[in-house]
Amino acid sequence: MNQSALKNYAPKARLDFIQAVKDRAAFFGLTPDSRVQIQEAGDVVIIGGQAFPRVVAQQRKALLQRITAEGYEAVMEAMAYTWFNRFVALRFMELHGYLDHGYRVLSHPAGRPNPEILDHAERLALPGLDQQQVIQLKLDGNRDAELYRLLLAAQCNALHQAIPFVFGKIADETELLLPDNLLHSDSVIRRLVSSIEEADWQEVEILGWLYQFYISDKKDAVMGRKSAVPTEDIPAVTQLFTPHWIVRYLVENSLGRLWLLNRPTSRLREHMPYYIEGDAETDFIRINKPEDIRVCDPACGSGHMHTYAFDLLCLIYEEEGYAPNEIPGLILRHNLYGLEICPRAAQLAEMALVFKAREKSRRFFQPEHLVRPNIIELRDVRFAENELHDYTRALGLGDLFNQPVLKLLHQFEEAKNFGSLIQPCLDERAIADVRHAIEAKDLGGQLFLRETHLKVRRVLEQAVALTQRYHVVVANPPYMGSRQMNQELRDLANEQFSASKADLFSMFIERGFLFVPQGGWCGMVTMQSWMFLSSFQELREKLLLNQTIHALTHLGNMVMGIAFGTAATVWENRCRTNLLGNYSFVSYGDLNESNEPKVFPVRNERLTTASGDDFKKIPGSPIAYWTSPALRQAFAGRKTGDFTWGEGKNVTADNERFLRMFWEIGARNVGREKKWITYSKGGPLRKWAGNLEYVCNWSPEARAFYRSNHASRLIDSRMWYQPGITWSVIATAGVGFRYLPENTTFDTKGLALLIENPSDLLPLLGALNSVVASRMLSMVNPTLSVNTIDVKAIPTPSRLPVVESQVQSMIDIATADWDNFETSWDFRDQPLLRPGLKGATLEASWRNWEAQSTAAIRRMQE
């Protein structure tokens, strides 16, 4: 599939479709500030001086009501996507032969300009299509555009009758905004057909890729605001389509593993190239027949996890001897479930599954074979004051609607915001009892209760989906840090997901295990940060205590098409202390032209096995799977944090006011008890000494400001003027530890640790700048941000006198060579620049130090 072509087409298509529906709306006098006069006369309505059929007045009124309720821009964007989605579906169906009449609706197989359906218009028998009108338009000539609009509307209405949950009813306000000029060479249809090669439409995954690229510009715009994301924009920000091979990895090692445990002689293994053989097991969930398996994606998006699970389930059913024509319906009825907050994505997921079913069975679209997929769009449901009281009183259900039930009915007021994170307060059986009692009531004579009744039913339907237990949960959950969460979502995170509240994806990890019973399987591809960062330590410890990692593939930057690392992980919802999980690493360079691994698993130094107990040996329990047992054992000894102190950092909150470059300030004004103090503020990779470019206002007035201003921070006075070790927090090119001289201080970008015993400073600095320490730091935190807690966790050797002299020598060299010049001030406070040691000399000295110190530290550890 040519993803570049899709990426180039879809964002522009979004703008084209929005403009097309706006132009059409304006034709009927609907603009952001329209004041068009409307008059009705008999069977026609006059809009802006032009006559239209009366049905247009009804459609326009409905559209105007939506615009008033939702806003002009929101409605135009929704209508644009509605038609984009329909045309994409028609394109897929016409190329796969899914249209009953057999003609192409958007293109011509011979490459002619006009769609094939126009050539055969008089032969079509579409529901509601007036054949006499078709013939008249054909005879009149030069009315192809009008005829084509008529045929398109009829085709969409026909598909609404066949698969109504994919093609919504068109004979409403959406038909009014069917774009104009569809036969023009630059129409939205022509661009759709010409921009994407027919070969790229072979796999149903194209629907998901098109959706991701369609909303990419909006996603960038929302993310660019750097503020809390409103509920309506959460889908755009959090949608990320999953590459097919990663989907296969997750599904094969969860659903596939479950089946192979139950059918050891199954040949399903031959169809699963990303399956990882695990240890033999005797304690697992028993599956009697394929219909018993339940697979759920709690953030299903466009349904990519479902479509491959469908393929695997087909093989399972076929292996069990089921009739091929029955299998698609059985899978959709019994096996696959999905939850989603975005109506567009939910529709795509349904569409993808019915197309997969139609691919397997030509009879699937027939009413007796059609099965609606179990995809639930989670919607907000709110009840007005006294609405439920009047409802229960009228139905005589007051005893049933006790406090827990009422609480449940109010749990979905933020369903679009919380999605599958909602945890219903009643279990599945209690909800079923409420549903049964309500459905047993006759509402035929109580029409005024109908709207409330539908809302109650909607809540109960959504609650059932969220309380059911599934054997397998697979997902690519949304990624969104706590800073971007709106207040309601942040409150939910604090109240119900204290261990995982740092990001949406981690909250979904924790929620995922509530969907599966003990022994069930959970597979998710997420950001890698949960594996290492201190903000996820509580979550890691909870996972290692209660779950077992069976397989984890660590994905480098850009492997998922995004500029940060991710992790595809399969857990069993049960702790198996001694079980060895399988771990591997895939970098972008390991992918072929199709963005799939050239070989899997990739044979590199990170292909290994490890148990949960191995990670518990390392402070913070990072999932540092690639480390050797000897390195892990080193963490049992003395660590940097055992003889260092200091957790604080200075924050001026106004650097323009309080910071200067060192050459801007005279030397007589810098130092202890002076107005200015040397300030460590990070900087590029540099070891031993240097990067002290800044000075900070340290006057009593400035320190008073730091203490009183809510955005500022001042370290404890015990830490003032103390020598120590500093480093740059952002370590793009690696970490360099440097001597922090006395009478200096530091901030958030140049953190520091102070030493309990001054005699430990030089050995510690030498140890931290060794290759061994660098390796250990990567175990504790392999990201680009190195914090105090990470450095404190690094094991260190005992004091080595030979190291002390070498370290002091390196500090002297680095100090003399700071930026290839040594700076001093004369009595006129003017900087004097003198050439220092050449950079090559310093580099050679560093290399010599690393070789010697690393060897010494390794000898000591042995």
Side-chain angles (χ1 to χ4, degrees):
M1 184 183 299
N2 185 355
Q3 291 183 23
S4 295
L6 306 184
K7 189 174 184 178
N8 291 333
Y9 163 72
K12 180 65 165 58
R14 174 175 171 268
L15 300 178
D16 290 342
F17 272 83
I18 290 174
Q19 189 58 52
V21 297
K22 283 184 176 180
D23 292 344
R24 185 68 178 168
F27 181 68
F28 296 102
L30 292 171
T31 62
D33 54 354
S34 61
R35 298 290 187 271
V36 176
Q37 295 296 319
I38 300 176
Q39 296 178 335
E40 296 185 14
D43 294 333
V44 299
V45 60
I46 309 299
I47 303 176
Q50 186 170 348
F52 296 95
R54 179 174 288 275
V55 66
V56 170
Q58 299 170 354
Q59 294 171 332
R60 186 185 185 281
K61 181 179 180 181
L63 190 57
L64 185 58
Q65 289 174 342
R66 282 193 60 179
I67 291 173
T68 302
E70 303 171 28
Y72 174 81
E73 293 294 338
V75 172
M76 293 300 106
E77 180 153 345
M79 289 294 179
Y81 185 76
T82 295
W83 281 111
F84 173 79
N85 206 22
R86 285 171 177 168
F87 290 158
V88 166
L90 284 169
R91 181 63 171 156
F92 188 89
M93 295 178 77
E94 72 176 13
L95 292 178
H96 286 261
Y98 293 169
L99 299 172
D100 290 340
H101 49 66
Y103 306 124
R104 293 194 181 187
V105 177
L106 305 184
S107 63
H108 199 290
R112 297 173 189 168
N114 284 345
E116 184 183 18
I117 196 173
L118 278 172
D119 297 343
H120 306 279
E122 66 277 10
R123 300 188 183 93
L124 297 175
L126 297 172
L129 183 62
D130 187 338
Q131 286 292 334
Q132 291 300 317
Q133 186 179 6
V134 169
I135 293 172
Q136 186 62 49
L137 290 172
K138 291 275 286 188
L139 292 175
D140 288 348
N142 297 324
R143 300 184 69 181
D144 282 352
E146 187 178 348
L147 175 59
Y148 189 51
R149 289 184 65 86
L150 187 70
L151 297 177
L152 265 180
Q155 179 65 77
C156 290
N157 280 320
L159 290 172
H160 171 67
Q161 293 186 15
I163 43 176
F165 43 88
V166 172
F167 274 84
K169 185 179 180 182
I170 187 178
D172 56 13
E173 65 271 20
T174 60
E175 183 177 6
L176 202 65
L177 297 190
L178 172 61
D180 269 332
N181 305 317
L182 294 175
L183 298 180
H184 285 193
S185 59
D186 63 345
S187 72
V188 290
I189 286 179
R190 291 285 181 86
R191 290 176 182 170
L192 172 63
V193 171
S194 64
S195 298
I196 306 172
E197 297 289 339
E198 291 190 11
D200 290 335
W201 293 92
Q202 295 309 303
E203 300 296 332
V204 75
E205 284 78 21
I206 191 175
L207 304 178
W209 283 116
L210 278 172
Y211 178 55
Q212 175 167 316
F213 294 136
Y214 182 91
I215 63 173
S216 60
D217 284 350
K218 182 174 182 180
K219 178 177 182 177
D220 292 342
V222 175
M223 293 293 288
R225 293 202 299 261
K226 296 182 180 180
S227 57
V229 177
T231 300
E232 62 271 17
D233 288 334
I234 288 177
V237 172
T238 57
Q239 288 289 343
L240 182 63
F241 197 68
T242 318
H244 188 60
W245 77 269
I246 297 174
V247 172
R248 297 194 67 166
Y249 175 84
L250 292 174
V251 175
E252 288 171 5
N253 287 286
S254 54
L255 172 60
R257 187 183 299 275
L258 176 64
W259 184 251
L260 290 179
L261 287 172
N262 280 273
R263 300 291 192 276
T265 61
S266 170
R267 302 189 65 177
L268 188 67
R269 175 66 182 85
E270 300 171 11
H271 302 277
M272 299 193 300
Y274 297 101
Y275 180 73
I276 304 296
E277 296 288 353
D279 293 345
E281 300 175 46
T282 58
D283 184 14
F284 52 84
I285 294 178
R286 305 292 170 171
I287 301 296
N288 296 319
K289 57 184 185 297
E291 294 98 310
D292 292 342
I293 302 172
R294 293 204 288 190
V295 181
C296 178
D297 184 342
C300 68
S302 55
H304 200 176
M305 300 291 180
H306 286 114
T307 56
Y308 183 62
F310 182 95
D311 291 338
L312 214 57
L313 286 163
C314 280
L315 294 173
I316 291 172
Y317 274 96
E318 290 169 3
E319 192 172 68
E320 294 289 288
Y322 286 73
N325 282 332
E326 296 178 0
I327 292 175
L330 290 171
I331 291 174
L332 298 191
R333 184 176 290 112
H334 298 291
N335 302 125
L336 297 179
Y337 299 81
L339 299 160
E340 176 56 48
I341 62 173
C342 176
R344 302 171 183 176
Q347 186 183 47
L348 278 176
E350 289 190 275
M351 187 186 302
L353 283 174
V354 298
F355 288 167
K356 293 292 289 187
R358 173 60 180 79
E359 177 187 342
K360 294 292 184 179
S361 173
R362 295 181 59 86
R363 296 185 294 179
F364 181 77
F365 285 168
Q366 297 173 3
E368 63 272 21
H369 294 281
L370 189 66
V371 177
R372 179 166 191 170
N374 294 304
I375 305 296
I376 303 295
E377 177 204 341
L378 297 172
R379 302 175 185 171
D380 293 344
V381 181
R382 294 184 173 87
F383 297 95
E385 187 177 358
N386 295 325
E387 183 178 356
L388 286 173
H389 178 268
D390 296 340
Y391 177 74
T392 56
R393 183 178 60 182
L395 295 182
L397 297 174
D399 294 339
L400 179 67
F401 279 69
N402 52 30
Q403 193 61 36
V405 173
L406 291 174
K407 180 180 177 182
L408 175 73
L409 293 176
H410 287 290
Q411 277 193 278
F412 290 85
E413 295 176 352
E414 293 284 344
K416 287 288 187 187
N417 198 7
F418 301 158
S420 300
L421 297 176
I422 294 173
Q423 301 177 55
C425 60
L426 296 180
D427 60 26
E428 187 176 0
R429 176 171 295 182
I431 296 170
D433 291 341
V434 176
R435 292 182 75 179
H436 178 74
I438 290 175
E439 296 301 332
K441 293 292 182 178
D442 181 15
L443 294 177
Q446 303 182 59
L447 295 179
F448 69 94
L449 296 177
R450 178 170 178 78
E451 183 177 350
T452 304
H453 180 68
L454 292 176
K455 288 161 66 175
V456 170
R457 288 182 58 184
R458 184 72 195 182
V459 167
L460 297 176
E461 178 187 14
Q462 295 179 168
V464 167
L466 289 168
T467 53
Q468 285 188 130
R469 291 295 177 264
Y470 307 92
H471 300 96
V472 176
V473 165
V474 284
N476 180 357
Y479 309 169
M480 188 167 70
S482 57
R483 291 184 179 180
Q484 291 181 289
M485 295 179 190
N486 54 52
Q487 190 59 53
E488 294 78 12
L489 190 53
R490 193 177 295 116
D491 290 343
L492 178 76
N494 290 328
E495 293 169 7
Q496 300 184 26
F497 297 94
S498 60
S500 56
K501 62 184 179 182
D503 201 286
L504 264 183
F505 82 80
S506 50
M507 293 162 66
F508 268 86
I509 290 176
E510 190 171 0
R511 178 68 174 94
F513 294 112
L514 300 178
F515 281 114
V516 296
Q518 184 176 16
W521 296 86
C522 185
M524 293 191 185
V525 56
T526 65
M527 294 176 67
Q528 65 175 353
S529 50
W530 73 271
M531 300 170 61
F532 316 110
L533 296 190
S534 58
S535 52
F536 297 97
Q537 179 176 338
E538 185 180 350
L539 173 64
R540 283 194 299 275
E541 293 172 347
K542 188 173 183 179
L543 293 174
L544 293 173
L545 180 64
N546 298 298
Q547 281 81 37
T548 302
I549 297 176
H550 275 255
L552 187 153
T553 292
H554 192 186
L555 310 169
N557 297 352
M558 298 308 298
V559 172
M560 281 270 292
I562 47 182
F564 50 79
T566 51
T569 314
V570 177
W571 293 272
E572 182 183 4
N573 193 22
R574 174 185 3 230
C575 181
R576 297 181 182 273
T577 306
N578 298 317
L579 185 139
L580 294 176
N582 292 274
Y583 296 84
S584 61
F585 181 81
V586 178
S587 70
Y588 185 71
D590 296 321
L591 304 181
N592 59 23
E593 293 180 355
S594 300
N595 290 323
E596 298 174 349
K598 300 168 188 174
V599 178
F600 188 84
V602 178
R603 305 290 174 179
N604 56 32
E605 72 281 0
R606 292 197 176 191
L607 181 61
T608 186
T609 59
S611 71
D613 281 352
D614 290 331
F615 307 132
K616 295 176 184 177
K617 297 174 182 177
I618 307 172
S621 302
I623 312 300
Y625 60 90
W626 60 88
T627 56
S628 67
L631 278 176
R632 287 195 289 266
Q633 189 59 39
F635 283 92
R638 193 173 68 157
K639 303 177 185 63
T640 301
D642 293 337
F643 51 97
T644 61
W645 61 289
E647 294 288 348
K649 48 198 171 185
N650 295 300
V651 179
T652 71
D654 191 348
N655 285 349
E656 290 291 326
R657 176 182 173 188
F658 293 109
L659 296 191
R660 296 290 184 271
M661 303 299 290
F662 73 89
W663 44 262
E664 296 181 79
I665 304 298
R668 68 181 62 177
N669 295 318
V670 179
R672 187 168 181 170
E673 307 300 335
K674 302 289 183 67
K675 179 177 180 180
W676 301 91
I677 192 170
T678 304
Y679 199 56
S680 176
K681 194 171 170 56
L685 173 63
R686 185 174 178 84
K687 296 183 178 181
W688 310 114
N691 277 6
L692 297 175
E693 300 175 301
Y694 288 87
V695 292
C696 175
N697 190 333
W698 205 247
S699 64
E701 294 80 12
R703 295 200 301 265
F705 175 84
Y706 305 152
R707 288 191 183 96
S708 61
N709 181 40
H710 72 280
S712 303
R713 189 180 304 132
L714 183 67
I715 60 174
D716 189 274
S717 59
R718 296 182 305 121
M719 301 176 66
W720 296 0
Y721 318 122
Q722 300 296 319
I725 295 174
T726 185
W727 66 94
S728 302
V729 171
I730 305 302
T732 306
V735 187
F737 292 92
R738 299 179 293 277
Y739 172 60
L740 182 73
E742 61 181 344
N743 299 330
T744 60
T745 191
F746 51 90
D747 80 340
T748 59
K749 300 302 182 184
L751 294 177
L753 283 174
L754 308 182
I755 315 302
E756 295 282 0
N757 184 348
S759 64
D760 289 328
L761 194 154
L762 294 181
L764 178 59
L765 180 59
L768 290 176
N769 272 333
S770 71
V771 174
V772 175
S774 177
R775 184 69 178 271
M776 290 178 171
L777 182 59
S778 73
M779 296 168 59
V780 175
N781 178 10
T783 68
L784 299 180
S785 181
V786 180
N787 292 296
T788 305
I789 191 172
D790 305 321
V791 179
K792 281 188 168 185
I794 300 175
T796 54
S798 298
R799 182 178 177 183
L800 297 175
V802 65
V803 170
E804 289 186 43
S805 61
Q806 290 175 324
V807 172
Q808 185 61 61
S809 175
M810 296 305 301
I811 292 174
D812 293 342
I813 294 172
T815 300
D817 201 64
W818 166 226
D819 271 353
N820 279 335
F821 62 83
E822 183 183 59
T823 301
S824 63
W825 287 279
D826 64 6
F827 66 95
R828 292 170 298 177
D829 296 334
Q830 297 298 317
L832 301 176
L833 308 183
R834 299 200 303 270
L837 295 173
K838 297 297 184 182
T841 303
L842 182 60
E843 178 65 23
S845 299
W846 282 4
R847 291 185 182 279
N848 181 55
W849 153 253
E850 290 201 342
Q852 293 184 45
S853 63
T854 298
I857 293 170
R858 282 177 171 163
R859 285 195 302 271
M860 184 181 163
Q861 287 182 334
E862 294 172 357

